[in-house]
């Protein structure tokens, strides 16, 4: 192990400093990301290559069996020359009257293949074609995997971007879906067709034999369909197959249509009821002037509706034209993808800590919105924060350094996202956030005592540690200073201390060396202190959080 790798693998005993720009942390985050990316890509290619190898072997054996049956059934489509020879020999042996005087009297001239042999040969041929096409596509798939893992020249940053673009391209073009579902599905369809043709062929020989084989094949198909239905009902069921994936995809696509159809039925029903009610309430005929005025109003509304429809058509047309060519991912898109990939898939504590720390260095609003809009990603941040916080409380003192550093990193990342483009509810864990939104009928969410206590704990971990208040805070990140303000604000609200803790924090911060960020923090803290009213308690916290949010990053 080289010196750099040895240094990065050392246990983290304190929260890393927030870098000035994303990735400028001495290469720590990208070191762990490169390891994770190589591991995921290697796992993907090995798994798909193993499946393609198995598919090629099975497809070869299946094609051989199918070809043997075709060699047996195809001659049944034409006359057998041995029948003509046997007929002529029989006539010579008997030495009787000549019954075969021309070629028209030969058995081959009056031959007609059995009607049941046509579908048998067609199905056997289709089955063989499916096997050959799946083998051909499997060979192509192996070539695709070789290209996916191929690396060109350039430095580490160039190779990292190239690898990430290929990984995103593989997701965009459903490489795993094609190789993991479509190719095996094509071979399975060929196998089902072969079973059907085999049963039809046996029926031409023996009905009882065909019936017994049909029962066995039907039982196998019923088990396959039942397993697919179970996998659709329970997405974590291990009986996954291309058929279950197809059923899941169909159900997911049909669900919005079914909901829309239900709303359409409800709307039409309500509309018809309103028409009947209006007609029943109308007891007198309308005046002529009123009729003329209403007709002009209806015509103007119709013209406005036509204009709106035309503008909507123009808008759809222009958007369609702009989407003809796919826009390449920007540098910020790649940053978001790398962070999401680490947070959602890695279990390496150091990699997670450096990823969370680098989130605090991202200031692009579009990138931050991508983080907040990803529910799985944001829920994962809260889960990691809660997990490491519990570990820091339960472990012995000498083992708490790593969990405490991780807790501070995740708390800082959550607070950074909420202060940048979120709301106070982004500080809440997923289950509490959903309950507050569901049961709150007001514009501002109604916060509970437990939820405010959770906010306090998160802000406390994100704020600057008290033992680092050395009198010179000019180089401290703005997020850590605002964490101190929010920490004392939430604690004041929770204990009903009449803003005493917030006032104490303001006095302490005012004694340090003044800087632009410290000055902004003090102005924000004073504004919050003045705006805060004890009678409102929890009700005013969302508005005060928005006040702090306007100060952050300025």
């Amino acid at each position: 192990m080289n010196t750099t790798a040895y240094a990065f693998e050392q246990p983290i005993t304190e929260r890393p400093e927030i870098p000035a720009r994303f990735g400028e942390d001495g290469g720590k985050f990208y070191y762990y990301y490169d390891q994770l990316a190589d591991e995921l890509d290697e796992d993907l290619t090995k798994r798909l290559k193993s499946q393609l190898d198995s598919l090629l072997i099975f497809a070869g054996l299946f094609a051989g069996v199918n070809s043997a049956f075709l060699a047996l059934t195809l001659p049944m489509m034409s006359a057998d020359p041995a029948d003509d020879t046997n007929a002529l020999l029989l006539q010579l042996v008997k030495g009787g009257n000549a019954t075969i005087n021309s070629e028209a009297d030969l058995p081959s001239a009056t031959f007609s293949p059995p009607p049941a042999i046509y579908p048998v040969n067609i199905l056997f041929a289709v089955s063989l074609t499916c096997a050959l096409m799946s083998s051909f596509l499997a060979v192509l798939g192996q070539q695709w995997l070789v290209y996916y893992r191929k690396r060109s020249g350039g430095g580490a940053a160039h190779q990292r971007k190239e690898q990430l673009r290929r990984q995103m391209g593989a997701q965009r073009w459903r490489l795993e879906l094609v190789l993991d579902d479509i190719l095996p599905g094509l071979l399975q369809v060929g196998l089902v067709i072969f079973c059907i043709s085999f049963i039809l062929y046996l029926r031409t020989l023996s009905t009882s034999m065909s019936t017994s084989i049909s029962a066995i094949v039907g039982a196998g198909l019923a088990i396959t369909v039942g397993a697919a239905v179970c996998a659709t009902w329970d997405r974590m069921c291990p009986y996954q197959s291309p058929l279950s994936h197809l059923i899941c995809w169909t159900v997911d696509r049909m669900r919005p249509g079914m909901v829309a159809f239900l709303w359409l039925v409800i709307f039409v029903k309500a509309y018809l009821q309103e028409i009947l009610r209006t007609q029943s309430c109308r007891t007198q005929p309308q005046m002529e002037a009123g009729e003329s005025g209403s007709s002009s109003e209806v015509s103007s509304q119709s013209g406005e509706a036509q204009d709106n429809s035309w503008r909507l058509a123009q808008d759809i047309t222009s958007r369609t034209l702009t989407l003809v060519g796919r826009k390449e991912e920007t540098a910020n898109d790649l940053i978001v993808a790398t962070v999401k990939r680490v947070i959602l898939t890695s279990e390496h504590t150091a990699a997670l800590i450096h990823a969370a720390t680098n989130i605090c260095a991202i200031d692009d609003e579009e990138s931050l919105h991508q983080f907040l809009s990803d529910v799985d990603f944001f829920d994962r941040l809260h889960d990691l924060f809660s997990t490491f916080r519990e570990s820091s409380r339960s472990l012995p003192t000498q083992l708490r350094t790593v969990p405490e550093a991780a807790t501070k990193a995740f708390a800082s990342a959550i607070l950074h996202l909420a202060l940048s483009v979120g709301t106070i509810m982004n500080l809440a864990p997923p289950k509490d956030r959903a309950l507050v939104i569901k049961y709150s009928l007001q514009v501002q969410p109604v916060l509970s005592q437990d939820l405010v206590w959770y906010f306090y704990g998160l802000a406390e971990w994100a704020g600057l540690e008290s033992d680092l208040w050395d009198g010179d805070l000019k180089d401290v990140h703005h997020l850590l200073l605002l964490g101190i303000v929010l920490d004392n604000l939430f604690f004041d609200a929770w204990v009903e201390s009449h803003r005493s803790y917030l006032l104490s924090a303001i006095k302490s911060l005012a004694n340090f060396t003044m800087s632009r960020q410290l000055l902004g923090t003090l102005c924000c803290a004073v504004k919050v202190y003045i705006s805060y009213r004890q009678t409102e308690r929890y009700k005013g916290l969302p508005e005060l959080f928005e006040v702090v949010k306007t100060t952050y990053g300025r």
Side-chain angles (χ1 to χ4, degrees):
M1 181 181 295
N2 57 35
T3 306
T4 303
Y6 177 78
F8 289 166
E9 292 294 341
Q10 295 301 309
I12 299 177
T13 58
E14 59 183 9
R15 174 172 50 184
E17 295 183 2
I18 299 176
R21 296 173 58 187
F22 181 86
E24 295 183 355
D25 58 349
K28 298 182 180 65
F29 169 72
Y30 282 126
Y31 169 77
Y32 293 108
Y33 171 77
D34 291 339
Q35 286 186 336
L36 176 66
D38 289 339
E39 180 182 350
L40 293 177
D41 291 341
E42 188 68 20
D43 176 72
L44 175 66
T45 53
K46 282 185 177 181
R47 177 171 54 83
L48 293 178
K49 189 177 184 302
S50 175
Q51 178 161 305
L52 292 177
D53 292 338
S54 302
L55 188 144
L56 281 172
I57 295 174
F58 180 79
L61 296 175
F62 176 57
V65 174
N66 207 331
S67 300
F69 275 94
L70 268 177
L72 184 64
T73 58
L74 277 178
M76 300 175 65
M77 298 288 294
S78 59
D80 189 357
D83 294 339
D84 294 342
T85 303
N86 294 333
L88 292 172
L89 290 175
L90 181 62
Q91 180 174 326
L92 290 174
V93 170
K94 289 183 177 180
N97 295 330
T99 58
I100 302 177
N101 298 319
S102 63
E103 293 182 357
D105 297 330
L106 293 174
S108 60
T110 59
F111 173 79
S112 178
I117 207 64
Y118 281 106
V120 170
N121 281 286
I122 291 174
L123 292 177
F124 273 138
V126 172
S127 176
L128 179 60
T129 304
C130 291
L132 295 177
M133 287 303 300
S134 61
S135 301
F136 173 70
L137 293 177
V139 174
L140 279 181
Q142 290 185 335
Q143 295 178 350
W144 297 340
L145 293 178
V146 170
Y147 172 76
Y148 179 77
R149 291 293 292 164
K150 184 179 179 181
R151 295 292 179 265
S152 61
H158 174 76
Q159 292 187 6
R160 185 183 303 114
K161 292 180 179 179
E162 181 186 32
Q163 175 270 338
L164 185 57
R165 285 194 173 99
R166 288 183 178 177
Q167 185 265 336
M168 297 175 69
Q171 290 184 345
R172 185 167 54 252
W173 290 98
R174 305 293 191 272
L175 175 65
E176 190 172 359
L177 172 66
V178 172
L179 300 182
D180 205 17
D181 287 335
I182 294 181
L183 292 189
L186 182 61
L187 190 59
Q188 292 174 12
V189 169
L191 181 60
V192 172
I193 295 175
F194 173 80
C195 293
I196 296 174
S197 58
F198 182 58
I199 293 172
L200 294 178
Y201 172 68
L202 290 179
R203 182 171 295 177
T204 62
L205 303 178
S206 173
T207 304
S208 59
M209 185 184 300
S210 174
T211 303
S212 60
I213 298 299
S214 299
I216 297 175
V217 173
L221 292 177
I223 293 174
T224 304
V225 175
V229 172
C230 293
T232 305
W233 178 260
D234 182 6
R235 300 298 174 92
M236 295 295 105
C237 177
Y239 308 140
Q240 300 294 327
S241 65
L243 180 59
S244 66
H245 296 165
L246 178 62
I247 296 176
C248 292
W249 181 85
T250 304
V251 170
D252 293 339
R253 294 304 183 276
M254 290 179 60
R255 186 180 292 113
M258 296 172 62
V259 174
F261 179 75
L262 179 61
W263 278 104
L264 178 62
V265 172
I266 295 174
F267 173 77
V268 171
K269 181 180 178 181
Y271 180 72
L272 294 177
Q273 290 177 349
E274 182 65 20
I275 291 178
L276 294 176
R277 188 186 65 82
T278 304
Q279 290 181 352
S280 62
C281 294
R282 186 180 299 169
T283 56
Q284 295 180 355
Q286 297 180 351
M287 301 297 295
E288 294 183 358
E291 291 180 354
S292 61
S294 61
S295 62
S296 61
E297 183 179 354
V298 170
S299 62
S300 63
Q301 292 178 355
S302 177
E304 184 179 357
Q306 292 179 357
D307 293 339
N308 293 334
S309 302
W310 174 249
R311 284 194 295 267
L312 179 60
Q314 285 181 327
D315 184 45
I316 294 176
T317 303
S318 62
R319 290 186 180 183
T320 304
L321 293 177
T322 56
L323 294 177
V324 172
R326 191 190 66 83
K327 185 179 179 182
E328 190 177 20
E329 296 85 1
T330 63
N332 290 331
D333 293 335
L334 297 179
I335 289 175
V336 172
T338 55
V339 174
K340 284 185 178 181
R341 199 176 186 188
V342 173
I343 294 295
L344 293 175
T345 60
S346 179
E347 296 296 337
H348 196 289
T349 304
L352 293 171
I353 291 175
H354 288 296
T357 304
N358 276 271
I359 291 176
C360 301
I362 300 176
D363 55 3
D364 181 65
E365 290 189 3
E366 183 178 355
S367 301
L368 297 174
H369 277 295
Q370 291 184 39
F371 287 126
L372 280 184
S373 60
D374 192 334
V375 179
D376 294 335
F377 172 81
F378 210 70
D379 291 351
R380 169 76 168 166
L381 281 182
H382 278 283
D383 291 340
L384 290 172
F385 167 74
S386 301
T387 301
F388 281 104
R389 183 177 62 172
E390 293 300 323
S391 298
S392 64
R393 294 174 177 175
S394 58
L395 291 176
T397 306
Q398 62 272 18
L399 299 178
R400 292 180 181 178
T401 53
V402 175
E404 287 179 352
T407 306
K408 294 174 183 177
F410 293 121
S412 301
I414 295 172
L415 187 60
H416 172 71
L417 293 173
L419 286 175
S420 298
V421 292
T423 63
I424 192 173
M425 291 312 302
N426 293 120
L427 301 179
K431 55 183 182 65
D432 294 337
R433 190 189 319 147
L435 289 175
V436 170
I437 295 175
K438 179 178 180 180
Y439 295 108
S440 177
L441 301 178
Q442 303 177 5
V443 178
Q444 295 291 347
V446 180
L447 305 179
S448 63
Q449 185 176 8
D450 293 337
L451 199 57
V452 174
W453 177 253
Y454 183 86
F455 292 167
Y456 160 70
L458 192 145
E460 181 185 23
W461 283 102
L464 183 65
E465 297 86 342
S466 58
D467 56 348
L468 298 180
W469 291 28
D470 56 357
D472 188 3
L473 302 181
K474 62 179 181 179
D475 295 328
V476 175
H477 197 275
H478 197 190
L479 178 67
L480 308 183
L481 298 177
L482 291 179
I484 299 173
V485 176
L486 291 173
D487 169 19
N488 290 275
L489 172 64
F490 292 140
F491 191 74
D492 274 334
W494 189 76
V495 301
E496 299 183 82
S497 60
H498 302 281
R499 302 173 290 176
S500 59
Y501 289 94
L502 183 59
L503 179 60
S504 176
I506 294 174
K507 293 180 179 179
S508 300
L509 290 174
N511 296 326
F512 297 116
T513 303
M514 195 58 59
S515 64
R516 181 179 61 85
Q517 293 181 346
L518 183 58
L519 180 60
T521 303
L522 282 173
C523 294
C524 171
V526 172
K527 188 174 182 180
V528 169
Y529 178 80
I530 296 175
S531 303
Y532 184 62
R533 295 291 183 270
Q534 185 62 34
T535 55
E536 297 176 354
R537 200 181 180 188
Y538 301 150
K539 184 178 179 182
L541 290 181
E543 296 180 357
L544 296 178
F545 183 82
E546 292 298 322
V547 173
V548 178
K549 179 180 173 182
T550 56
T551 307
Y552 185 57
R554 295 182 179 276

